[in-house]
Amino acid sequence: MCGIVGAVAERNVTAILLEGLKRLEYRGYDSAGVAVFTNAGKLERMRRPGKVAELEQALLGEPLVGRLGIAHTRWATHGAPCERNAHPHFSGDLAVVHNGIIENHEVLREQLKGLGYVFTSDTDTEVIAHLLNHKLKDHSDLTTALKATVKELHGAYGLAVISASQPDRVVAARSGSPLVIGLGLGENFLASDQLALRQVTDRFMYLEEGDIADIRRESVSIWDVDGNPVEREAVQYRDGAEAADKGEFRHFMLKEIHEQPSVVQRTLEGRLSQNQVLVNAFGPQAAELFAKVRNVQIVACGTSYHAGMVARYWLEELAGIPCQVEVASEFRYRKVVVQPDTLFVTISQSGETADTLAALRNAKELGFLASLAICNVSISSLVRESDLTLLTQAGREIGVASTKAFTTQLVGLLLLTLSLGQVRGTLAAGVEATLVEELRRLPTRLGEALAMDSTVEKVAELFADKNHTLFLGRGAQYPVAMEGSLKLKEISYIHAEAYPAGELKHGPLALVDDDMPVVTVAPNNELLEKLKSNLQEVRARGGQLIVFADEKAGMVNGEGTHVINMPHIHDTLSPILYTIPLQLLSYYVAVLKGTDVDQPRNLAKSVTVE
Ligand code: F6R
């Protein structure tokens, strides 16, 4: 989603800004722009729809050279993705870039028009630029004017501003959209994600909710939400800039799919004893809190929501704990009745998803026992604002379609299930030891599933000319089918829907004909025979079946039935294993379709707006 980079230095900042934007590209965007206070003493900008490379090309023709600048990648919310709507937005001698959404922009726009301001874009951001310009008439200092401006904004924002009349500073404000200051020697930077600045510094200062910052070459000043001057801790990363390198793979997504055995291994490391899960993996007070838990409420979005749906089967079946799962955008606006002693669990790769964060903030007012985040980013808002945390160790995920984040979330959720069952004494005898052993073997099993890569690549050809697909699963494989269908639609743009296989005859069967491939995951469990009957219903209507089946499930190839054998695995862990071929299938279908696999259209990696 939108990205911000800013710099104030003694050297030309344009290349730094462009490199920062490139590092944020994986988040998804549809236009890019840069504004620089040039060495000629003028505020100038260049904006382009499309990729950062197009902006860079344009800058080769008309270079902007200066020591102060801000830049942005925009993911369109208000107004089409075109040059006129791309950031930075200007008002007088001000330039503004903005992540987030200003909800009262229409009212403000009318007021500002009444004051004589002329709008040149359809964006909510331009409102901020004009409002700040207006505030500067009463408050000549840029930071003071910004403080007065944000008081009138409703919604979410990460903001960076420069002014031609105060060209020694970048000023910034954060509320609901992350911002980090990069600290250099005689130069300082700003970005919406530290990754954008790793080429220039390894020291960072994170702004907190409501902070306003004044960033100059030699100093940084910050005020909190009440206007008090504050110090924010500077953190240093020694791990070197995380290289965004596809290695031997054609796309980041394929690389990330193949990383799953190693990242699952990393997610397990230090969290298992001989035959138990180490409960303190969730934090020092986890055991005490878990002992009190009588219900679990899981909230997440997209792929992370599907992980939560799998966890519901585990928590109820293994730990005997009632569990509810809901998408964050619904939960946050629903009148929720909280059962006593309910643990509130959020799941998120990025830890910055606006709806999930808002749901967590709401939950704090609702009387939950405690909050727990399963998250892949240690410095994220979600982690900082939760009582307990389990960090997945997926490493940076660049492909917009989530893969390794999902399987590591599932591992984290199984660790949570076993921990809750252990502490509350609700796990059946020997179950924890068996599953710990199975978890240890999981990376090897995942490696075996990945070895099916070329088989799945061939199967993908069946989808090349199709427009619709159904995914079926039963039990904990139903959310796996949902995840498989989400992956396919995200990157191949083929319409895909998932159903619990038993629901087929209640409506969707009407869609089935020989143009509708039906993908099914069939581990060898007590639902297998029921699933086989559901598949007969499809075949009888001429539907093409693609079945990923346990090698012991006794399913065989036949006319219109393509069976791909999967290594045998303990049923509890089967959702993790069966995810792999569905990821590969989507990937290869997308490659055949020639889509932009790592940055599919209209999507963003981290959804920081509502
Ligand atoms: C799908 C995908 C999205 C995310 C969702 C939540 O491949 O990546 O559905 O899962 O936007 O994001 P996080 O997990 O960062 O909260």
Side-chain angles (χ1 to χ4, degrees), residues 301-304 348-350 353 400-402 409 486-487 490 607:
C301 301
T303 289
S304 300
S348 174
Q349 188 287 127
S350 61
T353 300
V400 163
S402 194
Q409 285 168 349
L486 177 65
K487 279 303 79 102
E490 273 182 298
V607 184

Side-chain angles (χ1 to χ4, degrees), residues 57-80:
Q57 196 59 35
L59 284 164
L60 284 178
E62 288 171 56
L64 297 180
V65 181
R67 295 169 191 169
L68 172 76
I70 50 177
H72 192 258
T73 44
R74 170 174 187 256
W75 186 79
T77 56
H78 296 72

Side-chain angles (χ1 to χ4, degrees), residues 161-172:
V161 182
I162 57 173
S163 162
S165 53
Q166 301 180 38
D168 54 347
R169 56 188 2 194
V170 178
V171 298

